[in-house]
């Protein structure tokens, strides 16, 4: 058995659909994703929308900020913060969030998602 990782860039929205210094929630494939347009830093980030603390689908409503050079989002419920670039929890907890690459081309925002495909070795022919 072999596991292959396939990465696809999926169109998420138009740039004008994003909120300046805020997030929007969208669904790509089976994932709820929070897309952030951090206007003050002129940067885009995408993370899972679910806050791992109490499993609330809420991070797209979080408040953006910076911890030193690290861009972060604060969950609106209990204010746990997560690095937008690495997903690390900055509140001292073990929980982290998934992050996804983002690119902007021709006024469209794209997010890269990966899928794993498991292949089975062919059965050797009988001799
Ligand atoms: S649900 Fe997000 S910090 Fe508690």
């Amino acid at each position: 058995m072999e596991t292959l990782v396939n990465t696809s860039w999926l169109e998420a929205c138009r740039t004008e659909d994003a909120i300046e210094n805020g997030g929007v929630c969208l669904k790509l494939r089976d994932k709820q994703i929070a897309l952030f347009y951090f206007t003050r830093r002129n940067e885009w980030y995408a993370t899972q929308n679910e806050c791992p603390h109490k499993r609330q689908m809420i991070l797209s409503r979080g408040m953006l900020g910076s911890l030193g050079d690290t861009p972060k989002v604060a969950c609106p419920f209990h204010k746990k913060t997560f690095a937008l670039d690495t997903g690390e929890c900055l509140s001292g907890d073990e929980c982290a969030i998934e992050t996804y690459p983002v690119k902007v081309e021709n006024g469209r925002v794209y997010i890269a998602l990966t899928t794993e495909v498991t292949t089975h070795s062919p059965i050797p022919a009988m001799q």
Side-chain angles (χ1 to χ4, degrees), residues 51-56 58-59 75-80 82:
C51 177
H53 178 229
K54 295 287 184 184
R55 306 194 60 137
Q56 300 293 314
I58 193 65
L59 288 179
C75 177
F77 280 131
H78 309 103
K79 310 296 185 257
K80 292 193 182 293
F82 302 92

Side-chain angles (χ1 to χ4, degrees), residues 20-73:
E20 291 192 6
N21 294 307
V24 293
C25 177
L26 51 98
K27 189 170 183 184
L28 289 178
R29 294 197 179 134
D30 60 342
K31 294 179 187 291
Q32 241 191 69
I33 293 176
L35 173 67
F36 300 100
Y37 181 23
F38 204 154
T39 320
R40 288 192 304 270
R41 297 172 61 116
N42 193 29
E43 295 168 347
W44 293 82
Y45 295 97
T47 70
Q48 67 183 53
N49 193 38
E50 182 184 83
C51 177
H53 178 229
K54 295 287 184 184
R55 306 194 60 137
Q56 300 293 314
M57 293 295 191
I58 193 65
L59 288 179
S60 62
R61 299 282 192 90
M63 182 175 285
L64 299 182
S66 298
L67 178 65
D69 286 339
T70 304
K72 66 177 186 173
V73 61

